[in-house]
Each structure stands twice: as C-alpha cells, then as structure tokens.
C-alpha cells in the first residue's frame, strides 16, 4: 500500500471512529442533570433575576440618603420673517429666514437631611426585600433539586419496570406458543389456550402502558 492510500485509510478510520463516538447515546447521571438544570432552568433564572433586582435596589441612594442631581437641557430653534423700520430714514426693511436659537441648561441639586425617619424606614424595607429575594432563590433551588432528584429516580424506576415487563411479555408469548402447540395435539384444553392468550394480552397491555409512563417521566425530566 502506497503512502497516499495509507493516508486515505487512516483518515477513513478516524472518521468512522468519530462517527461511532458521536452515535453513542449520552448517559445522564443525577449530577449531570442537576448541573444542566441549575444552568438552564427558566424558573431558577427568574428567581435569580428577581434576587439580583432586589439586591440592586437595596442601596442608600434608592432609600433617599444621598443627594440627587437633576440635569435639564432645552434647545429651541425659531425661523421666520422680521419686518422693521429704520429710525434714520423711516425705510421698512424685511428680513427672511431669520434664525433664532435658544439653549437652556440647568442643574438642580436636592438633598433631604431629615424626613421624619422615612428614609431609614425605606432603607430597612429595601433590605428586607433583598433578604426576601435571597430566601426565595434558596427555596426555588431546594424545590428544584428535590423535584429533579425525585423525577430522576422515578425515571430510573420506570425504566427498570419496563425492562421487567418486557421480559414478562416474552415469557407470556413463549407460554402461549407452547400451550397453543399442545392444544392442537390435544394435551391442553381450549380453556388453557384461552387463558394463555388472556395472560399474554394483559402483559402486553401492561408493557404498552409502562412505555407511556416512561415517556411521560422523560418529558418531565427534560422540562426540569
């Protein structure tokens, strides 16, 4: 094999290996689910944003302890025609497109030194809202971890149950095959054959119902 063919074979082998690795399903542990959920869960994001907003609001400035500086500015532009009379000659003069510009700038400094303890009350209220935001975030985190852990183990349990029911269906199917064969040769009665069919149908129905339960649990887990 020449070098060119060797390179092509090596590249093909690497591509097949990478494709095989990507094709393998990802295994989610409880830890990885918690990490991904804590990062992407929308309810937690909202709780954290509310906490950050209450933290940003709990400042001395918002309570009124610090002075406020207001800046106001205005600009006015007038364009028109003016008519005037010269005093010396009495001649009337008309000027068109006369532009008159006015700019106003103002600064207003306000500082409330005492407001009947309203400022201190506002500040305590903002601090309480900040603490409430932190508490709400903690409660949301604890509820989320509890809900995710419960749903994760419920999913594992439903998956194990599905595996057991699949095995039960296989046994019922094999039993039905044996009973049917013996029924045709006269070893078993028709009642035995009908009972085997009932058992197989019951196990199959339980298996299909369990598939739905597992699918529902997977949806709940993905939502969390």
């Amino acid at each position: 094999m020449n070098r060119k063919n060797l390179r092509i074979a090596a590249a093909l082998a690497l591509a097949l290996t990478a494709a095989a690795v990507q094709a393998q399903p990802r295994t989610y542990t409880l830890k990885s689910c918690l990490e991904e959920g804590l990062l992407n869960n929308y309810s937690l994001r909202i709780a954290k944003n509310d906490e950050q907003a209450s933290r940003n609001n709990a400042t001395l400035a918002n309570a009124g302890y610090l002075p406020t500086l207001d800046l106001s500015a205005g600009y006015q532009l007038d364009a028109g025609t003016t008519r005037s009379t010269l005093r010396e000659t009495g001649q009337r003069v008309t000027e068109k497109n006369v532009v008159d510009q006015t700019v106003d700038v103002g600064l207003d400094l306000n500082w409330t030194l005492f407001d009947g303890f309203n400022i201190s009350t506002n500040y305590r209220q903002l601090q309480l809202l900040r603490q409430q935001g932190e508490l709400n975030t903690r409660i949301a985190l604890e509820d989320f971890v509890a809900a995710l852990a419960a749903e994760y183990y419920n999913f594992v349990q439903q998956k194990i149950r599905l595996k057991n029911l699949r095995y039960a269906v296989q046994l019922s199917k094999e039993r039905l095959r044996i009973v049917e064969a013996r029924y045709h040769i006269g070893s078993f009665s028709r009642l035995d054959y009908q009972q085997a069919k009932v058992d197989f149908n019951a196990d199959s129905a339980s298996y299909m119902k369990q598939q739905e339960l597992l699918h529902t649990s997977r949806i709940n887990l993905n939502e969390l």
Side-chain angles (χ1 to χ4, degrees), residues 2 10 13 19 54 67 78 84-85 89 99 107 110 122 129 135 146-147 156 167 169 174 180 184 188 196 211 215 218:
N2 55 34
S54 62
D78 294 327
S84 61
T85 302
T89 61
V99 178
L107 290 175
N110 296 313
N122 291 337
L129 291 175
L135 181 61
V156 173
Y167 181 68
V169 170
E174 180 64 18
E180 183 180 9
H184 288 304
F188 282 163
Q211 284 181 316
H215 181 64
R218 181 183 291 110

Side-chain angles (χ1 to χ4, degrees), residues 205-221:
S206 298
Y207 177 73
M208 288 186 289
K209 182 179 179 180
Q210 186 59 32
Q211 284 181 316
E212 292 297 326
L213 292 175
L214 182 64
H215 181 64
T216 301
S217 179
R218 181 183 291 110
I219 292 176
N220 295 336
L221 196 60

Side-chain angles (χ1 to χ4, degrees), residues 125-136:
Q125 183 179 5
L126 291 175
Q127 292 295 322
L128 289 175
L129 291 175
R130 177 184 62 81
Q131 295 175 5
Q132 182 180 356
E134 295 175 353
L135 181 61
N136 290 338

Side-chain angles (χ1 to χ4, degrees), residues 103-162:
V103 178
D104 296 323
V105 178
L107 290 175
D108 187 11
L109 178 64
N110 296 313
W111 195 353
T112 303
L113 299 179
F114 182 73
D115 191 18
F117 301 105
N118 287 332
I119 295 177
S120 59
T121 302
N122 291 337
Y123 185 67
R124 285 197 298 269
Q125 183 179 5
L126 291 175
Q127 292 295 322
L128 289 175
L129 291 175
R130 177 184 62 81
Q131 295 175 5
Q132 182 180 356
E134 295 175 353
L135 181 61
N136 290 338
T137 301
R138 193 169 115 192
I139 292 175
L141 284 171
E142 292 176 354
D143 290 344
F144 166 75
V145 171
L148 181 59
E151 191 58 49
Y152 179 84
Y153 286 113
N154 177 59
F155 177 79
V156 173
Q157 182 180 7
Q158 299 299 339
K159 198 170 185 179
I160 293 175
R161 181 171 174 79
L162 181 67

Side-chain angles (χ1 to χ4, degrees), residues 174-184 188 192-193 196:
E174 180 64 18
R175 177 172 175 268
L176 177 61
R177 186 189 65 80
I178 294 174
V179 171
E180 183 180 9
R182 291 191 175 184
Y183 166 71
H184 288 304
F188 282 163
D192 295 329
Y193 175 59

